[in-house]
């Protein structure tokens, strides 16, 4: 059974519009990103996200509707499953409201539109037109006057009425503006291609008749006039409002104005040919245009009175390649892009200013996993979080192409580097102006000294030889500001209090014969230390370091850690080595209030403690870091000091060290320092563990300085730096602009470099010129080290890093590239090449093998040190024999192989139309024998495969071009040989996005894990998903939990969850997902009110209470 969770949500923008949605007085920008709606408020500097919501369906159209009695406009949404609904905004609940429940317009007898789904509203706001199928236009009346509509309704949306038209291949369409002196039916203009491949334009009059009771009415579209003399490159219709009326037709070499009343036209050629892709109106005479090459134009129609005399087109700047344009007013516009960052721009005189970039990693053409949080080798920890993984994607296309480094977690932004300093043991932030002032000093503790660094208001730093009477010749266990303008310092041998102004030592306490001070902790009034490891002493900071209590712990053994909390006065907490116990004591007497044994395992020793306020309006939380990598938490009653329910989480394999970081409003986050550092914080009433993107942090401290407000000092084994640390988890994307399509990417850990296959496009004398390269890029800054140019009209199709067997039988690392020619090359039937590259010590590419092949090489792999190549209709095994590649074995596929996944000697082949087949490679069993590829299993269903990956024993994950995921398992236990050849579908779900790449991940399994991560997936819409297998003991529980949540949580449009996630392609359609759990839905349990959580828990029938079920879902959320 399979589990699916999003790591990076879709970022491609295909639809957007301006609408008065949140308020009747303010405009908003609504953006559709696959199955998500994002609503932004407008500002002078760009847009601000106000609300986001996931829909049960991929958005294919957006339109705004205005109804007479509604103060705000409504949003019409259409999805890829032919479901449509209207939404409004509820200002009280601050949520979307469904005004019209979804209408399923699916028509299995009709053919889907071969261009795109369209939605238009006529300028009089009486009708809406949908184009979903070829030859059919669906009309919806917006102001229905049928008898069944009551006058008390706030709006009315009529039933859809289909109308047939003979025009099938529609390029563009739209309602024309009605003329003031004409009392006629609404007029529709349609730009289409006829059966002779001529581009035609026709006008149709809409004649709608409302029906009676139970009758939706009728609609007729009669052709008024038509013409077939348009340019072949005509692509867009722009309706022109008063006073000119008519329409503009955009083409590749010209723009033409048509007067729909007189039939006259005015054609003017473009100065430079181009391909227009989007437009947006500014006013009655001006429009923004965008072309396929990222240019932005301003088009203005020249008028004399109401007569069009010509037009003027100016290039005003370059942006990402636009998919949609929205003019926001006041000279601002939104450029929504599918293949580049979306942008908010300001239009200035003959130029533009980019105000804001909205990051977009779509389309993900390829990606590689650079590391899983452990750069030193292949071993991985027993607990997985995607925040530990760094994924590098090839994103965008042509001028918007880029490499993107993606890591989900708490981001760290470096502000400054103090220099190389090795083996820092602890950091402390201090203020030379007193306890309540901003910090301006960092004290770094080493084994035998303490070094202090003072910062000026402008950020200048100076290391001090003497400062405020601090003892710098010893390492410090603890340093902090305390009341009355004093400074507390604890070393291995003594406790010191100095006056900040006079720098004089005011109080001192020496351990003398009591032994070395091993641990220390303090708040504003008390200090607790341990001497000799077994004795604890409490000192009063207000009474000249008077020892108020002493206690020896013979039954518990040595003290491992001590914490004196600030949020809960009157107590201190200690953890012990031998007994693995944690003891809460009265800070004045050191008498035990409560003692808790943490584990029977003597290796599970408490190593770090902290009691702090994580969640507002809740009891403080006690966090205990155990030596085995486990973090145990309790809530604590501030009156009785009683501990609440115990919760445990595994962060790694070693004990963490805690440090609190302020978040404001009396709340704190806890920085857990371990091999995979994490930030623990409160969000929405629960505790969240988020991986931190910092590598190798050894100690931290908050450093809220005037020059670095809100900063955090972080020490690594080699240096000390000032950083800004996010207060919660987000997805961090680092971008390297390549300005070429990154078609393929491969990573070499040994070389610490990427092999990147790119495609470059440019216009030369009006012609498109395509060039392709293999580039070698450094892993740190993605710096280009070397490049290899392919032949003219040769495109890179595949690129892998491979360990290939040479003549001596030794495995050697190589980059292998597969190519395809755009047009026929040479005298024979050569249609591509296979190239093998070596990288020398100078980090340059060297071509060592090449082979011309008869088909494009769509995919590559390695089996037993040999190259596996997916050519047209054939999969071939090649050995590297000196400068030559020798064919060893072949396998003929059903149509065209486009994806390979290899496990051992088994090769899964994703076929263009016939799903997946699995073949086995075998070496000769005797001298002179032949290498063989034998089919051992096949999925006997039609599926347009896009990617495939091995995920478990005899189990494969496949994605298809229609947005479905299938888990296929070979029936190895079948009775007959035919039974054993069948790949059965054991899980399936509709993702709704086409997957371009599935990459298997190797993660060490944990016996306590709920799910076992197996693969990452990258999609066309810029999403990255985690695929995992559910532990057998949790399968039934998660399936019942999914069903219970789905039945209680409604999506906008009231679309059923099962309908949304049910498998659907052109051959068959299911009613619900099969043995697949949607992690995004499961995690909505955490956002439900307590009463709803209890109801869900009761339906699921689990023996655990709501708290345990919530803890389980939180653990699932942490994996991504």
């Amino acid at each position: 059974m399979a589990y699916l969770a999003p790591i990076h949500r879709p970022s491609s923008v295909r639809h957007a519009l301006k609408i008065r949605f949140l308020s009747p007085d303010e405009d908003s920008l609504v953006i559709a990103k696959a199955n998500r709606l994002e609503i932004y408020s407008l500002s002078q500097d760009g847009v601000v996200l106000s609300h986001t919501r996931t829909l049960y369906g991929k958005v294919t159209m957006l339109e705004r509707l205005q109804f007479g009695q509604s103060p705000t406009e409504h949003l019409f949404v259409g999805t890829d499953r032919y479901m449509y609904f209207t939404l409004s905004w509820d200002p009280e609940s601050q949520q979307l409201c469904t005004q019209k429940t979804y209408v399923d317009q699916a028509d299995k007898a009709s053919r889907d539109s071969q261009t795109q789904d369209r939605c238009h509203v006529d300028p009089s706001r009486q009708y809406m037109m949908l184009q979903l199928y070829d030859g059919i236009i669906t009309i919806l009346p917006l102001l229905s006057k049928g008898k069944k509509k009551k006058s008390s309704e706030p709006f009315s949306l009529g039933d859809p009425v289909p109308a047939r038209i003979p025009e099938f291949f529609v390029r563009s369409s739209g309602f024309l503006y009605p003329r003031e002196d004409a009392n006629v039916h609404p007029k529709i203009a349609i730009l289409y291609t006829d059966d002779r491949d001529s581009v035609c334009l026709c006008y149709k009059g809409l004649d709608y008749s409302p029906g009676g009771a139970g009758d939706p009415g009728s609609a007729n579209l009669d052709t008024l006039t038509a013409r077939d003399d348009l340019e072949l490159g005509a692509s867009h219709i722009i309706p022109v409002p008063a006073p000119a009326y008519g329409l503009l037709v955009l083409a590749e070499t010209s723009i033409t104005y048509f007067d729909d009343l007189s039939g006259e036209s005015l054609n003017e050629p473009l100065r430079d040919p181009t391909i227009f892709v989007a437009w947006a109106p500014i006013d009655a005479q001006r429009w923004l245009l965008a072309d396929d090459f990222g240019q932005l134009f301003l088009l203005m129609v020249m008028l004399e009175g109401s007569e069009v005399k010509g037009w003027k087109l100016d290039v005003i700047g370059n942006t990402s390649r636009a998919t949609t344009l929205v003019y926001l007013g006041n000279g601002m516009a939104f450029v929504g892009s599918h293949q580049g960052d979306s942008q908010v721009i300001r239009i200035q005189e003959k130029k533009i200013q980019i105000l804001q970039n909205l990051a977009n990693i779509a389309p993900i053409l390829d990606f590689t996993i650079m590391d899983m949080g452990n750069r030193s080798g292949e071993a991985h920890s027993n607990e997985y979080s995607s925040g530990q993984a760094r994924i590098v994607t090839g994103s965008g296309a042509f001028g918007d192409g880029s490499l993107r480094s993606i890591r989900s977690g708490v981001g760290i932004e470096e502000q400054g580097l103090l220099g190389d300093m090795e083996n820092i043991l602890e950091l402390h932030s201090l203020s030379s102006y007193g306890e309540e002032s901003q910090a301006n000093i960092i004290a770094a503790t080493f084994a035998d000294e303490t070094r202090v660094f003072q910062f000026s208001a402008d950020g200048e730093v100076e290391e001090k030889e003497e400062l405020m009477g601090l003892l710098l010749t010893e390492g410090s266990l603890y340093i902090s500001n305390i009341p009355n303008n004093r400074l507390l310092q604890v070393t291995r041998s003594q406790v010191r209090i100095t006056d900040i102004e006079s720098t004089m030592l005011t109080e001192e306490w020496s351990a003398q014969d009591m032994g070395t001070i091993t641990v220390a902790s303090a708040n504003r009034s008390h200090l607790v230390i341990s001497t000799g490891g077994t004795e604890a002493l409490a000192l009063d900071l207000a009474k000249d370091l008077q020892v108020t209590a002493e206690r020896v712990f013979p039954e518990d053994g040595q003290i491992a850690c001590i914490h004196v909390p600030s949020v809960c006065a009157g107590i201190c907490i200690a953890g012990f080595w031998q007994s693995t116990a944690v003891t809460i004591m009265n800070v004045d007497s050191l008498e035990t209030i409560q003692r808790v044994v943490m584990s029977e395992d003597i290796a599970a020793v408490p190593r770090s403690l902290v009691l702090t306020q994580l969640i507002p309006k809740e009891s403080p939380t006690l966090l205990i870091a155990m030596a085995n990598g486990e973090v145990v938490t309790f809530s604590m009653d501030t009156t009785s000091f009683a501990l609440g329910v115990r919760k445990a989480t595994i962060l790694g394999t070693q004990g963490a060290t805690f440090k609190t970081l302020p978040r404001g409003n009396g709340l704190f986050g806890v920085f857990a320092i371990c091999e995979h550092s994490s930030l623990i914080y409160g969000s929405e009433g629960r505790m969240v563990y988020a991986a931190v993107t910092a590598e190798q942090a050894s100690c931290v401290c908050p450093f809220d300085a005037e020059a670095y407000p809100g900063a955090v000092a972080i020490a690594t084994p080699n240096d000390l730096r000032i950083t800004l640390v996010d207060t919660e988890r987000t997805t961090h994307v680092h971008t390297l602009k390549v300005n070429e399509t990154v078609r393929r990417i491969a990573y070499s850990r040994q070389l610490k470099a990427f092999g990147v296959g790119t495609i470059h496009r440019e216009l030369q004398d009006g012609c498109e010129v395509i060039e392709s390269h293999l580039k070698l890029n450094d892993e740190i800054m993605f710096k280009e080290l070397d490049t290899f140019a392919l032949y003219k009209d040769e495109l890179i199709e595949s690129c892998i890093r491979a360990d290939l067997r040479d003549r001596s039988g030794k495995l050697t690392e190589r980059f292998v590239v597969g190519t395809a020619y755009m047009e026929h090359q040479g005298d024979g039937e050569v249609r591509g090449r296979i190239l093998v590259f070596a990288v020398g010590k100078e980090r340059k590419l060297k071509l060592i093998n090449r082979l011309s092949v008869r088909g494009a090489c769509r995919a590559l792999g390695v089996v037993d040190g040999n190259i596996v190549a997916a050519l047209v209709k054939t999969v071939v095994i090649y050995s590297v024999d000196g400068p030559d590649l020798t064919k060893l074995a072949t396998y003929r596929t059903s149509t065209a192989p486009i994806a390979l996944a290899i496990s051992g000697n088994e090769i899964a082949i994703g076929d263009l139309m016939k799903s997946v087949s699995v073949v086995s490679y075998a070496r000769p069993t005797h001298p002179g024998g032949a290498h063989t590829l034998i089919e051992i299993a096949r999925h006997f269903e039609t599926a347009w495969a896009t990617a495939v990956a091995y995920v478990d024993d005899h189990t494969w994950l496949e994605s298809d071009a229609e947005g479905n995921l299938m888990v296929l398992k070979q029936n190895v236990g079948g009775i007959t040989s035919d039974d054993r050849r069948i790949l059965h579908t054991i899980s399936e779900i509709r993702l709704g996005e086409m997957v371009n790449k599935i990459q298997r991940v190797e993660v060490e399994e944990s016996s306590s894990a709920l799910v076992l991560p197996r693969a990452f997936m990258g999609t066309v819409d810029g999403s990255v998903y985690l695929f995992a297998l559910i532990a057998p003991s949790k399968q039934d529980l998660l399936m019942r939990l999914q069903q219970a949540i789905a039945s209680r949580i409604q999506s906008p449009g009231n679309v059923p969850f099962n309908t949304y996630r049910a498998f659907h392609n052109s051959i068959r359609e299911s009613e619900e997902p099969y043995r697949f759990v949607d992690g995004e839905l499961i995690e909505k349990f955490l956002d439900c009110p307590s009463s709803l959580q209890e109801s869900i828990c009761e339906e699921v029938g689990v023996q655990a209470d709501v708290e345990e079920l919530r803890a389980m879902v939180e653990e699932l959320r942490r994996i991504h």
Side-chain angles (χ1 to χ4, degrees):
M1 187 176 293
Y3 185 86
L4 182 71
I7 293 174
H8 185 277
R9 302 188 187 279
S11 54
S12 163
V13 175
R14 299 180 189 268
H15 306 279
L17 55 78
K18 185 177 74 170
I19 180 174
R20 295 202 167 184
F21 190 71
L22 301 178
S23 166
D25 303 319
E26 296 181 1
D27 289 322
S28 300
L29 175 68
V30 177
I31 297 174
K33 298 180 178 180
N35 67 330
R36 295 181 68 81
L37 284 181
E38 294 182 353
I39 304 172
Y40 292 84
S41 299
L42 307 185
S43 70
Q44 291 297 320
D45 301 321
V47 294
V48 180
L49 182 63
S50 298
H51 185 75
T52 181
R53 187 69 187 272
T54 301
L55 306 181
Y56 286 170
K58 183 176 180 179
V59 177
T60 57
M61 57 181 67
L62 291 176
E63 189 54 83
R64 62 186 182 92
L65 304 176
Q66 179 66 62
F67 300 101
Q69 300 182 24
S70 176
T72 59
E73 293 177 310
H74 291 202
L75 184 66
F76 178 85
V77 182
T79 72
D80 61 338
R81 296 296 298 271
Y82 306 105
M83 297 177 183
Y84 307 92
F85 44 88
T86 56
L87 302 174
S88 65
W89 179 253
D90 185 348
E92 295 184 3
S93 65
Q94 296 289 298
Q95 294 294 327
L96 298 176
C97 293
T98 302
Q99 295 292 346
K100 177 77 173 180
T101 56
Y102 80 95
V103 178
D104 187 350
Q105 287 295 311
D107 185 349
K108 296 182 179 180
S110 301
R111 185 177 69 182
D112 291 345
S113 173
Q114 300 300 295
T115 51
Q116 65 179 27
D117 293 346
R118 296 182 180 85
C119 176
H120 302 290
V121 175
D122 86 294
S124 65
R125 296 286 166 179
Q126 292 184 343
Y127 302 98
M128 182 163 61
M129 172 182 72
L130 305 181
Q131 286 183 264
L132 313 176
Y133 301 97
D134 287 337
I136 298 177
I137 289 180
T138 302
I139 302 297
L140 289 87
L142 300 183
L143 296 175
S144 176
K145 299 180 181 179
K147 297 180 180 180
K148 59 185 289 185
K149 300 294 181 182
K150 299 178 181 179
S151 59
S152 61
E153 290 186 3
F155 68 92
S156 56
L157 181 63
D159 294 326
V161 179
R164 293 197 174 273
I165 58 174
E167 295 80 17
F168 278 78
F169 300 100
V170 176
R171 297 188 176 192
S172 182
S173 61
F175 281 100
L176 299 186
Y177 285 88
R179 298 176 185 266
E180 296 178 357
D181 56 348
N183 186 18
V184 297
H185 298 298
K187 188 181 291 187
I188 298 173
I190 299 177
L191 182 69
Y192 66 98
T193 305
D194 65 12
D195 53 7
R196 299 187 305 275
D197 289 334
S198 299
V199 179
C200 310
L201 175 68
C202 71
Y203 306 106
K204 293 182 178 291
L206 171 61
D207 184 8
Y208 173 79
S209 299
D215 184 2
S218 62
N220 294 313
L221 292 172
D222 299 323
T223 301
L224 303 177
T225 57
R227 55 192 305 163
D228 60 0
D229 57 347
L230 276 71
E231 180 186 327
L232 289 177
S235 58
H236 290 78
I237 286 176
I238 300 180
V240 179
Y245 298 105
L247 59 91
L248 295 168
V249 174
L250 307 181
E252 293 182 5
T253 62
S254 65
I255 296 178
T256 307
Y257 168 75
F258 291 93
D259 188 320
D260 62 299
L261 193 61
S262 66
E264 296 179 354
S265 63
L266 176 63
N267 177 276
E268 293 187 14
L270 298 175
R271 183 171 53 191
D272 298 307
T274 191
I275 303 171
F276 293 109
V277 293
W279 62 273
I282 297 177
D283 52 34
Q285 287 184 246
R286 296 181 299 166
W287 293 264
L288 283 176
L289 307 182
D291 72 0
D292 196 42
F293 303 95
Q295 293 186 105
L296 197 65
F297 302 85
L298 180 64
L299 171 65
M300 183 169 65
V301 172
M302 314 302 291
L303 299 178
E304 286 187 5
S306 61
E307 185 179 354
V308 176
K309 291 298 184 180
W311 50 260
K312 182 180 180 182
L313 185 70
D314 293 319
V315 177
I316 58 175
N318 287 277
T319 65
S320 300
R321 194 268 193 193
T323 306
T324 182
L325 289 174
V326 180
Y327 183 69
L328 303 176
N330 297 321
M332 292 172 55
F334 173 72
V335 181
S337 180
H338 167 64
Q339 63 186 44
D341 291 342
S342 295
Q343 298 166 324
V344 180
I345 63 171
R346 185 182 304 280
I347 303 171
Q348 300 173 338
E349 186 176 355
K350 294 186 178 181
K351 65 178 183 178
I352 62 172
Q353 176 190 3
I354 297 178
L355 301 178
Q356 188 176 4
N357 279 293
L358 304 181
N360 170 34
I361 66 171
I364 300 175
L365 302 178
D366 195 9
F367 72 88
T368 185
I369 301 170
M370 185 172 171
D371 67 83
M372 294 291 290
N374 186 345
R375 303 302 310 281
S376 59
E378 297 292 339
H380 309 303
S381 67
N382 62 341
E383 281 296 313
Y384 168 80
S385 166
S386 72
Q388 302 165 10
R390 181 180 175 190
I391 300 172
V392 179
T393 68
S395 299
F398 301 118
D400 298 313
S402 62
L403 289 170
R404 308 278 179 133
S405 174
I406 303 169
R407 177 168 282 178
S408 175
V410 176
I412 292 183
E413 180 183 349
E414 186 173 318
Q415 300 292 296
L417 180 67
L418 268 69
D420 295 337
M421 282 176 270
E422 297 183 352
N423 303 318
I424 297 176
L425 301 178
E426 187 59 85
L427 292 176
H428 313 272
S429 63
L430 308 170
S431 173
S432 61
Y433 305 108
E435 182 188 23
E436 303 297 330
S437 302
Q438 281 189 307
N440 66 336
I441 298 167
I442 293 178
T445 295
F446 297 83
D448 55 0
E449 65 173 339
T450 301
R451 297 171 63 180
V452 290
F453 304 88
Q454 187 168 19
F455 291 76
S456 64
D458 58 1
E460 294 292 326
V461 61
E462 179 184 1
E463 183 173 2
K464 294 290 187 178
E465 298 290 338
E466 296 180 355
L467 187 65
M468 297 184 297
L470 287 172
L471 180 64
L472 303 182
T473 56
E474 295 185 26
S476 300
L477 298 177
Y478 187 89
I479 311 177
S480 71
N481 290 93
I482 57 176
N484 300 322
N485 209 28
R486 297 178 299 163
L487 205 63
L488 170 67
Q489 180 184 14
V490 182
T491 70
R492 295 283 181 183
S493 62
Q494 57 185 302
V495 178
R496 298 161 51 90
I497 295 180
T498 58
D499 182 76
I500 292 178
E501 291 184 1
S502 66
T503 71
M504 297 295 293
L505 178 66
T506 58
E507 287 94 21
E508 183 179 15
W509 181 91
S510 177
Q512 297 178 348
D513 299 331
M514 302 180 68
T516 302
I517 301 175
T518 55
V519 291
S521 179
N523 59 16
R524 300 179 77 248
S525 58
H526 289 84
L527 166 68
V528 178
I529 61 175
S530 172
T531 58
T534 59
E535 184 176 6
L537 295 92
L539 290 79
D540 194 324
L541 300 180
K543 298 180 179 179
D544 302 329
L545 293 180
Q546 177 182 342
V547 177
T548 59
E550 298 182 47
R551 182 176 175 183
V552 180
F553 297 87
E555 72 280 5
D556 288 313
Q558 289 191 332
I559 298 172
C561 49
I562 287 177
H563 175 59
V564 183
S566 299
V567 297
C568 197
I571 64 170
C572 65
I573 309 167
F576 296 88
W577 284 98
Q578 280 81 356
S579 64
T580 71
V582 170
T583 301
I584 302 172
M585 300 176 288
N586 184 298
V587 74
D588 293 313
S589 63
L590 296 184
E591 295 180 353
T592 298
I593 298 174
Q594 186 174 354
R595 181 174 181 270
V596 180
V597 176
M598 302 305 299
S599 174
E600 299 295 333
D601 183 3
I602 60 173
V605 179
R607 295 302 312 274
S608 186
L609 301 166
V610 66
L611 176 68
T612 190
Q613 191 73 44
L614 295 180
I615 304 172
K617 301 179 182 179
E618 298 282 347
S619 299
T621 302
L622 173 63
L623 297 95
I624 306 167
M626 311 298 289
N628 62 355
E630 189 177 39
V631 173
V632 180
T633 63
F634 300 90
S635 61
M636 178 182 284
D637 187 285
T638 55
T639 303
S640 65
F641 309 118
L643 298 179
V645 177
R646 170 182 173 141
K647 300 178 183 178
T649 299
I650 296 177
L651 283 188
T653 58
Q654 303 172 8
T657 301
F658 292 142
K659 181 71 75 168
T660 57
L661 302 178
R663 301 184 67 201
N665 299 321
L667 300 179
F668 293 83
V670 176
F671 199 112
I673 306 165
C674 54
E675 70 263 42
H676 298 302
S677 296
S678 297
L679 183 69
I680 307 170
Y681 62 94
S683 177
E684 299 176 352
R686 64 182 183 276
M687 195 160 46
V688 177
Y689 294 76
V692 177
T693 58
E695 297 179 0
Q696 300 180 327
S698 56
C699 49
V700 305
C701 74
F703 185 61
D704 183 21
E706 183 177 353
Y708 301 102
V712 175
I714 297 181
T716 72
N718 300 310
D719 56 43
L720 174 61
R721 58 192 67 187
I722 308 298
T723 67
L724 290 178
V725 179
D726 291 347
T727 57
E728 59 185 25
R729 175 176 57 194
T730 55
T731 299
H732 300 272
V733 179
H734 171 66
T735 302
L736 172 71
K737 293 291 290 183
V738 180
N739 299 320
E740 301 179 25
T741 300
V742 181
R743 183 75 174 86
R744 289 289 181 257
I745 181 171
Y747 174 63
S748 168
R749 188 184 303 274
Q750 178 180 337
L751 297 172
K752 296 183 178 180
F754 294 94
V756 180
T758 66
I759 301 173
H760 178 71
R761 179 185 68 169
E762 65 178 349
L763 284 176
Q764 294 181 1
D765 299 327
C767 297
E768 241 182 32
V769 177
I770 303 294
E771 297 176 345
S772 199
H773 301 83
L774 174 66
K775 299 184 178 183
L776 188 68
N777 290 74
D778 180 77
E779 71 167 8
I780 304 300
M781 299 301 295
F782 297 131
K783 177 184 176 182
E784 185 176 313
L785 303 173
D786 195 19
T787 184
F788 179 89
L790 301 183
Y791 291 151
K792 182 180 178 181
D793 293 331
E794 184 182 21
L795 300 181
I796 194 162
E797 289 283 353
S798 52
C799 177
I800 63 169
R801 185 216 67 88
D803 291 322
L804 300 180
R805 202 177 301 279
D806 58 19
R807 285 183 173 180
S808 65
K810 180 182 177 181
L811 292 178
T812 307
E813 186 175 53
R814 298 285 187 256
F815 283 110
V816 186
V817 172
T819 73
Y821 291 117
M822 294 177 60
E823 298 178 0
H824 185 73
Q825 296 288 316
D827 298 329
E829 297 181 0
V830 176
R831 301 307 301 267
R833 290 192 298 167
I834 298 175
L835 310 174
V836 181
F837 293 88
V839 179
K841 294 182 180 180
E842 67 281 5
R843 307 188 83 181
K844 299 293 183 182
L845 292 168
K846 180 181 179 182
L847 179 63
I848 59 174
N849 303 89
R850 73 184 79 187
L851 176 69
S852 297
V853 291
R854 296 184 177 183
C857 184
R858 304 293 187 192
L860 289 166
V862 178
V863 61
D864 195 24
N866 299 313
I867 297 173
V868 185
L871 310 179
V872 174
K873 292 191 176 182
T874 311
V875 173
V876 185
I877 306 289
Y878 293 101
S879 67
V880 180
D881 187 14
D884 302 320
L885 297 180
T886 304
K887 183 186 297 184
L888 299 180
T890 63
Y891 168 78
R892 186 147 181 105
T893 59
S894 298
T895 55
I898 60 171
L900 297 174
I902 300 171
S903 174
N905 67 334
E906 293 184 356
I907 305 169
I909 304 165
D911 191 87
L912 180 65
M913 295 177 62
K914 294 297 183 180
S915 194
V916 170
S917 58
V918 181
V919 299
S920 177
Y921 166 70
R923 283 179 166 271
T925 57
H926 58 276
H931 298 257
T932 58
L933 278 176
I934 301 174
E935 182 179 301
I936 60 174
R938 175 182 288 274
H939 185 223
F940 291 92
E941 289 187 18
T942 298
W944 294 66
T946 59
V948 63
Y950 171 80
V951 293
D952 204 5
D953 294 340
H954 309 290
T955 306
W956 311 84
L957 173 64
E958 177 193 6
S959 62
D960 70 13
E962 294 175 272
N964 300 296
L965 295 177
M966 294 165 282
V967 182
L968 308 175
K969 188 176 182 65
Q970 184 181 357
N971 183 20
V972 293
I975 298 175
T976 67
S977 60
D978 287 342
D979 292 339
R980 291 190 290 273
R981 290 185 63 243
I982 298 176
L983 287 175
H984 291 284
T985 302
I986 61 171
S987 300
E988 64 183 18
I989 194 172
R990 179 175 176 82
L991 181 64
E993 303 174 53
M994 190 178 83
V995 175
N996 269 340
K997 175 73 175 290
I998 305 175
Q999 177 71 54
R1000 175 177 167 83
V1001 294
E1002 298 285 348
V1003 179
E1004 184 180 333
E1005 296 184 8
S1006 169
S1007 58
S1008 61
L1010 297 172
V1011 297
L1012 310 174
R1014 284 291 181 261
F1016 289 135
M1017 298 180 292
T1019 74
V1020 169
D1021 290 289
S1023 301
V1024 179
Y1025 289 92
L1026 170 70
F1027 171 86
L1029 297 177
I1030 303 174
S1033 61
K1034 301 298 181 182
Q1035 293 178 359
D1036 181 62
L1037 172 61
L1038 288 178
M1039 286 297 295
R1040 285 186 283 116
L1041 179 60
Q1042 175 172 265
Q1043 182 179 356
I1045 297 174
S1047 64
R1048 287 168 169 79
I1049 296 181
Q1050 295 292 327
S1051 76
N1054 301 328
V1055 181
F1057 170 80
N1058 284 342
T1059 302
Y1060 164 53
R1061 284 302 193 193
F1063 181 95
H1064 173 82
N1065 65 13
S1066 57
I1067 305 300
R1068 67 180 179 92
E1069 182 175 352
S1070 301
E1071 294 182 354
E1072 60 183 4
Y1074 175 59
R1075 292 172 56 83
F1076 230 117
V1077 174
D1078 184 345
E1080 189 171 15
L1081 177 68
I1082 293 293
E1083 291 165 16
K1084 289 182 180 180
F1085 176 82
L1086 300 175
D1087 302 324
C1088 296
S1090 299
S1091 58
L1092 186 55
Q1093 289 183 344
E1094 292 174 0
S1095 173
I1096 292 172
C1097 190
E1098 182 178 349
E1099 179 177 334
V1100 171
V1102 294
Q1103 296 180 352
D1105 59 13
V1106 173
E1107 198 62 38
E1108 292 185 14
L1109 191 59
R1110 187 185 295 121
M1112 183 191 73
V1113 178
E1114 287 176 346
E1115 183 176 343
L1116 289 172
R1117 172 176 276 189
R1118 280 196 297 274
I1119 71 172
H1120 68 94

